[in-house]
Amino acid sequence: DAGVTQSPTHLIKTRGQHVTLRCSPISGHKSVSWYQQVLGQGPQFIFQYYEKEERGRGNFPDRFSARQFPNYSSELNVNALLLGDSALYLCASSSAGSSYNEQFFGPGTRLTVL
Amino acid sequence: ILNVEQSPQSLHVQEGDSTNFTCSFPSSNFYALHWYRWETAKSPEALFVMTLNGDEKKKGRISATLNTKEGYSYLYIKGSQPEDSATYLCAPPFGNEKLTFGTGTRLTIIP
């Protein structure tokens, strides 16, 4: 079985542009979460979606948005990119939207904003 | 937002030695504690999900304990091997699945 997949692997954008990152969860998993990891820090929670509904949002500006599709894949969108958005964006999936469920992480998308 | 602290920040251990490190978190409104191992250029890998005070879990040479009353968890590695070199992250959720990660302990095993 394939694990969590993310695309693209790497991305370079300039300030002010828009970016869309994609995530496919493990087959059968209905919950997808997004995290941002900047160098020297642990991953920071951005969004969680379960059964296509937003279950939670971290402390990120409205420039960040996400959605989950009927097949449970997900997109993270970031508008008006800033230099500070340069980071590794991780997607994680789990079978159910609970604190007790193990989350499985993808390899991440490395975003560089110039 | 939870304040999660991990110590030490980095650690160098001789191959064959045992080691341990700490995760501290607020003890109120505890749900669970997740431990992850993150090797360079790979995805974070779940090690344990711990839920009960006094929990002790083991996976091969790695084990973890949990004290929810005082808000800490220890991760132990017995007989360190080079493949144990990684960053170890702990994460208590502050709601359903909203993991709050510490900054991690970067472990380097010296052959």
Side-chain angles (χ1 to χ4, degrees):
Chain A
D1 258 348
V4 177
T5 58
Q6 292 186 243
S7 62
T9 309
H10 295 87
L11 203 49
I12 299 175
K13 293 283 189 177
T14 56
R15 279 179 296 174
Q17 284 190 312
H18 161 91
V19 70
T20 297
L21 311 181
R22 295 178 176 84
C23 171
S24 291
I26 290 172
S27 178
H29 284 191
K30 298 180 179 179
S31 175
V32 169
S33 298
W34 286 95
Y35 295 84
Q36 180 197 64
Q37 195 252 344
V38 298
L39 210 57
Q41 296 181 22
Q44 267 202 292
F45 171 78
I46 310 175
F47 283 109
Q48 189 222 347
Y49 277 78
Y50 179 68
E51 288 276 21
K52 293 156 282 182
E53 289 190 4
E54 182 183 304
R55 278 283 193 88
R57 183 189 183 112
N59 189 24
F60 280 82
D62 291 344
R63 299 184 297 107
F64 288 76
S65 63
R67 54 180 176 167
Q68 187 177 31
F69 297 99
N71 66 353
Y72 302 111
S73 67
S74 177
E75 281 183 355
L76 176 70
N77 295 286
V78 187
N79 290 327
L81 284 166
L82 303 174
L83 296 179
D85 295 330
S86 295
L88 180 68
Y89 289 84
L90 293 163
C91 170
S93 77
S94 73
S95 55
S98 160
S99 301
Y100 310 106
N101 288 121
E102 185 175 318
Q103 291 193 35
F104 295 82
F105 281 83
T109 293
R110 172 75 60 186
L111 172 65
T112 303
V113 182
L114 301 175
Chain B
I1 296 178
L2 297 180
N3 184 27
V4 181
E5 295 183 0
Q6 291 189 248
S7 62
Q9 280 191 329
S10 67
L11 195 53
H12 288 75
V13 173
Q14 203 70 38
E15 182 177 349
D17 286 353
S18 296
T19 187
N20 64 83
F21 26 92
T22 308
C23 170
S24 300
F25 52 88
S27 55
S28 58
N29 296 320
F30 178 82
Y31 289 92
L33 184 79
H34 296 235
W35 277 103
Y36 284 85
R37 173 171 60 201
W38 195 358
E39 295 177 65
T40 303
K42 293 188 178 179
S43 309
E45 174 199 355
L47 290 173
F48 307 112
V49 180
M50 309 182 77
T51 56
L52 298 174
N53 185 44
D55 245 359
E56 182 168 343
K57 298 212 169 181
K58 192 173 178 184
K59 192 175 187 175
R61 293 178 292 97
I62 302 176
S63 61
T65 61
L66 178 67
N67 183 323
T68 61
K69 292 183 179 178
E70 295 182 40
Y72 64 83
S73 177
Y74 293 137
L75 192 83
Y76 302 89
I77 301 178
K78 188 177 175 182
S80 303
Q81 299 297 308
E83 59 265 29
D84 296 328
S85 294
T87 296
Y88 291 82
L89 294 160
C90 69
F94 62 90
N96 276 339
E97 294 207 352
K98 303 172 188 62
L99 297 181
T100 303
F101 285 89
T103 52
T105 292
R106 183 189 293 266
L107 175 65
T108 304
I109 306 302
I110 305 164

